[in-house]
């Protein structure tokens, strides 16, 4: 008997989960580079618009190539449905706006990717949606920050760039206690480190631009609906009509039929195809990202010119215990380290030859950036402190090159520190 | 029995009540894992697909959230 998909082990599910044969038995879902889809009769299109029949209409709303990425991501994460978006920020914006309304509050981890911080702190605040930012490792403070207006809890699996690892069991418990959904950005950990739906996430968001794509050739994002939250709630009257019809698919239905359709941040078919390609090799690459990052962390930790290293895989990291438990002994490919000051950090970055100085993570190549002067430059000193972004800090996205070459590159560059 | 399915007349061979699960199979309804079923204007819980039945003259709608408009 054929194995059911959910009984397949993770590495196999990455390759086969949610897939179906393409035209002529093609082993790839084709790139359907078309804007719209024609039907013979007016009746057929009417049925599709009424939701009585399934069919593609227009690529902003759906497209076979997008659908193949969506099905694969849902299968890999153990979700009930997924929506592919044009970028990770589009996934976060769309998913958040599908849930909250003007007057609502978001309770967010204070340790966030800069774009998400700016979305919550500045952009959404202008639309009457406010966010409380709380240290994600302080359970009492998190609990105390929930109030009658809180409608969403948001956290990153590994804070970028703070590298803290919140205990998702605590987040999930607080969300359950209060009847609020938990949204988890799992970009940095990837499904390889953990299927966070199993750890209590109700909604998972990804920037697929990073490790899922894997070779930095296209931007993309995804929203995965774990189907675990009960939307029939006084807190979510705007879900009533969707809950009545679609039950545990209420969030995906509301997002697709309203927010995603109206905001229009759809993925491009070619990008969705390229992000699908990345899924096949995610485990292999992540294995190497993790082992290389551990070696780089150990090397930097022992280096006299490095004042500190922040990698959750180092046993003296304050996040080691939680990360080890949550991620099964794997710690990802991202780390930060400190040298003497900003000038020293700049000298090190300028002296690196293999590692690229750019604003991205999750490429096959080793990447570095000085966050304080770039991706976090707009933050006030207080926010920089909250996010753990000092002037002496360098973020490294450790690539999958030969580890000896990576270490030699850092060894040579640190001579200039 | 004669039914109205998605606004159109439909006939199935059975004369006895048929469960929703069997009806989905008989009518070869697409993507059954996602479909919402409305029987005579009432939305059914997925858990009731086995127990709920259709009889002659019933109106059934199959609805998807993936489709085009609202
Ligand atoms: C944790 C995290 N979330 C979200 C994003 C945003 O994704 P994108 O650049 O695809 O919009 C990024 C990276 O840029 C990220 O690192």
């Amino acid at each position: 008997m054929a194995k059911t998909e959910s009984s397949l082990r993770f590495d196999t599910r990455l390759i086969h989960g949610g897939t179906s044969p393409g035209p002529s038995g093609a082993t790839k879902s084709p790139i359907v580079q078309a804007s719209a889809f024609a039907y013979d009769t007016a009746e057929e299109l009417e049925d599709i618009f009424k939701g009585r029949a399934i069919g593609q209409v227009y690529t902003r709303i759906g497209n076979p190539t997008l659908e193949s990425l969506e099905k694969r991501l849902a299968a890999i994460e153990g979700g009930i449905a997924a929506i592919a978006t044009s970028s990770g920020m589009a996934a976060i914006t769309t998913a958040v706006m599908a849930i909250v309304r003007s007057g609502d509050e978001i309770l967010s981890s204070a340790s966030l990717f800069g774009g998400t911080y700016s979305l919550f702190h500045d952009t959404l605040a202008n639309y009457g949606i406010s966010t409380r930012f709380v240290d994600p490792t302080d359970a009492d403070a998190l609990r105390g920050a929930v109030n009658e207006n809180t409608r969403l809890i948001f956290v990153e699996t590994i804070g970028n760039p703070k590298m803290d690892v919140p205990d998702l069991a605590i987040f999930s418990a607080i969300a359950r206690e209060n009847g609020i959904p938990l949204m988890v950005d799992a970009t940095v950990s990837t499904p390889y480190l953990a299927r966070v739906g199993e750890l209590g996430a109700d909604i998972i968001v990804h920037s697929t631009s990073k490790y899922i794509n894997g070779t930095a050739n296209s931007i993309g994002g995804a929203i995965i609906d774990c189907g675990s939250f009960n939307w029939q709630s006084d807190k979510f009257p705007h879900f009533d009509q969707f809950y009545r019809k679609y039950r545990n698919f209420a969030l995906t239905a509301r997002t697709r039929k309203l927010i995603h359709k109206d905001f229009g941040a759809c993925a491009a078919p070619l990008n969705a195809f390229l992000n699908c390609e990345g899924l096949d090799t995610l485990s292999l690459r992540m294995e190497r990202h993790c082992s290389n990052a551990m070696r780089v962390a150990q090397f930097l930790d022992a280096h006299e010119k490095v004042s500190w290293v922040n990698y959750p895989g180092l046993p003296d990291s304050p996040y080691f215990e939680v990360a080890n438990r949550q991620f099964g002994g794997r710690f990802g490919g991202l780390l930060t380290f400190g040298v003497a000051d900003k000038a020293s950090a700049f000298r090190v970055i300028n002296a690196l030859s293999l590692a690229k100085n750019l604003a991205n993570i999750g490429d096959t190549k080793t990447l570095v950036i000085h966050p304080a002067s770039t991706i976090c430059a707009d933050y006030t000193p207080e926010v920089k402190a909250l996010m753990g972004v000092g002037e002496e800090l360098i973020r490294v996205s450790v690539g999958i090159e030969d580890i000896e070459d990576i270490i030699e590159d850092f060894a040579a560059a640190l001579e200039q520190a | 029995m004669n039914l109205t399915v998605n606004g159109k007349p439909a006939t199935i061979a059975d004369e006895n009540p048929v469960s929703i699960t069997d009806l989905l199979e008989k009518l070869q309804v697409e993507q059954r894992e996602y479909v919402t079923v409305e029987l005579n204007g009432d939305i059914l819980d997925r858990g009731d697909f086995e127990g709920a039945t259709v009889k002659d003259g019933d109106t059934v709608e199959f609805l998807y959230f993936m489709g085009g408009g609202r």
Side-chain angles (χ1 to χ4, degrees):
Chain A
M1 203 183 98
K3 283 195 165 191
T4 61
E5 214 149 73
S6 51
S7 75
L8 294 173
R9 289 164 187 83
F10 179 70
D11 287 358
T12 313
R13 219 157 67 224
L14 270 180
I15 295 167
H16 295 281
T19 61
S20 45
S24 312
T27 57
K28 299 282 171 191
S29 176
I31 304 163
V32 180
Q33 193 67 34
S35 310
F37 302 85
Y39 290 86
D40 289 338
T41 66
E43 286 79 4
E44 284 174 86
L45 206 50
E46 182 190 38
D47 276 351
I48 292 171
F49 269 79
K50 280 197 166 147
R52 282 172 164 176
I54 300 175
Q56 302 295 350
V57 170
Y58 188 68
T59 289
R60 169 160 47 72
I61 295 161
N63 168 293
T65 317
L66 274 49
E67 194 181 311
S68 79
L69 177 60
E70 291 162 352
K71 291 211 154 132
R72 290 185 66 179
L73 283 170
I76 289 162
E77 289 282 26
I80 58 167
I83 300 175
T85 59
S86 55
S87 69
M89 282 316 302
I92 296 168
T93 305
T94 304
V96 168
M97 295 299 270
I99 295 168
V100 301
R101 297 188 298 177
S102 178
D104 291 345
E105 274 193 25
I106 301 167
L107 169 58
S108 175
S109 156
S111 168
L112 290 177
F113 165 65
T116 310
Y117 178 77
S118 151
L119 172 72
F120 289 173
H121 187 263
D122 301 316
T123 305
L124 292 187
N126 286 321
Y127 295 90
I129 296 154
S130 53
T131 302
R132 279 170 197 256
F133 298 96
V134 176
D135 176 349
T137 58
D138 186 340
D140 292 338
L142 286 165
R143 257 198 188 84
V146 177
N147 65 30
E148 71 279 6
N149 296 322
T150 313
R151 290 293 177 275
L152 176 67
I153 301 183
F154 187 96
V155 66
E156 292 178 7
T157 46
I158 301 179
N160 174 14
K162 198 172 182 186
M163 302 305 303
D164 49 359
V165 181
D167 188 338
L168 293 180
I170 291 173
F171 274 80
S172 161
I174 296 172
R176 296 281 176 280
E177 285 159 22
N178 292 283
I180 306 165
L182 174 63
M183 188 181 296
V184 176
D185 181 339
T187 300
V188 176
S189 56
T190 83
Y192 174 78
L193 263 61
R195 269 70 66 200
V196 293
E198 294 163 9
L199 302 175
D202 297 302
I203 306 112
I204 306 168
V205 286
H206 280 290
S207 166
T208 59
S209 325
K210 316 297 184 203
Y211 293 102
I212 288 179
N213 174 277
T215 51
N217 60 34
S218 51
I219 302 291
I223 306 164
I224 292 116
D225 181 352
C226 299
S228 45
F229 187 75
N230 181 5
W231 295 100
Q232 187 184 36
S233 155
D234 292 346
K235 290 194 158 113
F236 298 97
H238 47 302
F239 277 78
D240 276 357
Q241 57 163 313
F242 295 94
Y243 179 79
R244 234 181 310 119
K245 268 196 185 165
Y246 304 110
R247 300 297 149 111
N248 68 330
F249 291 103
L251 174 67
T252 296
R254 184 167 201 272
T255 309
R256 273 205 184 281
K257 286 179 180 289
L258 229 46
I259 318 301
H260 183 53
K261 170 175 78 68
D262 296 350
F263 283 179
C266 63
L270 175 60
N271 287 5
F273 175 85
L274 291 166
N275 285 324
C276 265
E277 285 294 282
L279 284 174
D280 281 30
T281 56
L282 181 68
S283 270
L284 270 181
R285 285 183 285 104
M286 284 309 294
E287 214 178 296
R288 179 71 80 86
H289 279 297
C290 291
S291 63
N292 277 1
M294 183 66 91
R295 288 280 305 275
V296 172
Q298 288 162 346
F299 165 78
L300 292 171
D301 204 31
H303 199 286
E304 55 176 10
K305 293 198 172 155
V306 172
S307 29
W308 53 264
V309 179
N310 194 353
Y311 182 63
L314 292 177
D316 60 355
S317 160
Y319 313 114
F320 175 82
E321 187 269 321
V322 173
N324 193 38
R325 165 162 51 83
Q326 241 165 222
F327 304 142
R330 297 161 296 202
F331 304 95
L334 208 59
L335 61 87
T336 57
F337 70 97
V339 284
D341 51 20
K342 177 178 177 179
S344 170
F346 271 35
R347 284 195 301 275
V348 172
I349 289 175
N350 293 346
L352 285 163
S353 66
L354 194 66
K356 303 269 181 260
N357 171 40
L358 56 74
N360 197 13
I361 60 170
D363 195 351
T364 47
K365 300 172 179 65
T366 296
L367 316 172
V368 294
I369 195 164
H370 180 253
S373 63
T374 57
I375 49 177
C376 302
D378 293 341
Y379 293 172
T380 61
E382 295 76 49
V383 174
K384 278 186 184 166
L386 194 66
M387 301 271 184
V389 180
E391 293 294 331
E392 81 291 5
L393 179 151
I394 297 173
R395 184 184 74 186
V396 189
S397 171
V398 181
I400 60 174
E401 302 99 333
D402 189 305
I403 185 60
E404 303 305 335
D405 289 321
I406 300 173
I407 288 175
E408 282 170 21
D409 197 26
F410 279 92
L414 281 164
E415 300 284 314
Q416 311 302 315
Chain B
M1 74 176 81
N2 295 311
L3 302 169
T4 304
V5 175
N6 282 356
K8 298 182 200 75
T11 302
I12 54 172
D14 274 274
E15 287 313 318
N16 301 318
V18 168
S19 76
I20 299 297
T21 307
D22 289 343
L23 184 70
L24 292 170
E25 174 64 31
K26 282 180 199 292
L27 296 176
Q28 284 298 300
V29 170
E30 284 184 278
Q31 305 215 14
R32 281 163 232 173
E33 67 276 30
Y34 297 124
V35 75
T36 293
V37 179
E38 197 180 279
L39 175 58
N40 299 324
D42 293 326
I43 305 271
L44 298 179
D45 267 327
R46 300 192 70 79
D48 293 340
F49 284 8
E50 202 64 57
T53 55
V54 289
K55 57 180 188 325
D56 193 55
D58 280 350
T59 297
V60 187
E61 292 271 320
F62 299 119
L63 296 169
Y64 297 94
F65 61 81
M66 299 90 110
R70 276 187 69 173

